[in-house]
């Protein structure tokens, strides 16, 4: 679960940086989108790298969800009865990990239908990614769904990054504060970076 989580985190950082190119205008953003489809040429054909990345991401998401389910079942099996004394109250991010994962899973499906297959995008045009992003976030519900999902993502990363560090043996008593600070910083950076795009479109800063 930790390994797939970190792999997806690396993807999210790259994805956010690519998304922010929208602030440089349609030429830069569309050029970046075209470059993604030509990576590896001539060894790879057009869009092969992009589809390999998508397949790899889907595999990581599925393995992450399966691992979460298995760990949850093991936790219940190890402690079938409730604690006699109440445990220390966990953070909000920790307590919402499961539902946050469900929200993100559903959002991924919507996001693919919206900006990859263009199925639910009301004014989508194939080959015009900048215009499609603007068309999507001009509808209040698409922008609202995206923002809610990114807030859930931030909470998920806040707990998940620190937890992954502990699982992989990187964390200890001396480095605990450092990893918690990194987790908070990454969560804030990614949340703000992703949310900046729909907010910019909805306020007219990007059109």
């Amino acid at each position: 679960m930790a390994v797939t989580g970190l792999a997806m985190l690396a993807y999210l950082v790259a994805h956010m940086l690519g998304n922010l190119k929208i602030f440089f205008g349609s030429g830069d953003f569309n050029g970046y989108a075209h470059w993604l489809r030509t990576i590896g040429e001539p060894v790879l054909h057009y869009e092969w790298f992009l589809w390999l990345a998508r397949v790899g991401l889907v595999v990581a998401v599925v393995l992450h969800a399966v691992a979460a389910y298995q760990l949850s079942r093991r936790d219940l099996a190890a402690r079938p009865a409730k604690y006699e004394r109440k445990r220390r109250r966990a953070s909000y991010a920790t307590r919402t990990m499961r539902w946050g994962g469900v929200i993100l899973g559903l959002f991924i499906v919507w996001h693919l239908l919206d900006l990859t297959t263009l199925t639910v995008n009301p004014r989508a045009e194939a080959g015009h990614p900048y215009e499609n992003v603007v068309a999507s976030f001009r509808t209040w519900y698409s922008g609202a769904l995206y923002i809610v999902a990114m807030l859930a993502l931030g909470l998920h990363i806040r707990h998940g990054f620190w937890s992954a560090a502990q699982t992989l043996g990187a964390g200890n008593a001396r480095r605990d504060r450092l990893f918690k600070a990194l987790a908070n910083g990454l969560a804030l950076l990614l949340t703000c970076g992703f949310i900046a795009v729909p907010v910019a479109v909805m306020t007219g800063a990007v059109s």
Side-chain angles (χ1 to χ4, degrees), residues 60-83:
V61 170
V62 171
L63 290 176
H64 196 72
V66 170
Y69 174 77
Q70 290 175 337
L71 288 173
S72 179
R73 298 296 298 176
R74 288 182 182 181
D75 185 44
L76 290 173
R79 175 64 65 173
K82 293 183 178 179
Y83 286 92

Side-chain angles (χ1 to χ4, degrees), residues 2-15:
V3 171
T4 54
L6 291 175
M8 288 187 289
L9 180 60
Y11 167 82
L12 287 169
V13 171
H15 189 42

Side-chain angles (χ1 to χ4, degrees), residues 63-142:
L63 290 176
H64 196 72
V66 170
Y69 174 77
Q70 290 175 337
L71 288 173
S72 179
R73 298 296 298 176
R74 288 182 182 181
D75 185 44
L76 290 173
R79 175 64 65 173
K82 293 183 178 179
Y83 286 92
E84 291 183 10
R85 294 182 181 180
K86 288 186 176 180
R87 290 182 295 176
R88 184 179 176 184
R89 191 169 178 81
S91 69
Y92 184 76
T94 303
R95 289 182 280 117
T96 56
M97 281 295 283
R98 183 177 301 173
W99 288 111
V102 172
I103 290 171
L104 291 172
L106 294 173
F107 169 75
I108 289 172
V109 175
W110 166 267
H111 195 51
L112 290 173
L113 292 172
D114 184 25
L115 293 174
T116 300
T117 67
L118 308 178
T119 306
V120 298
N121 196 320
R123 293 182 292 275
E125 295 182 49
H128 296 80
Y130 179 94
E131 291 76 11
N132 293 340
V133 170
V134 172
S136 174
F137 293 140
R138 276 181 177 165
T139 59
W140 69 268
Y141 55 85
S142 182

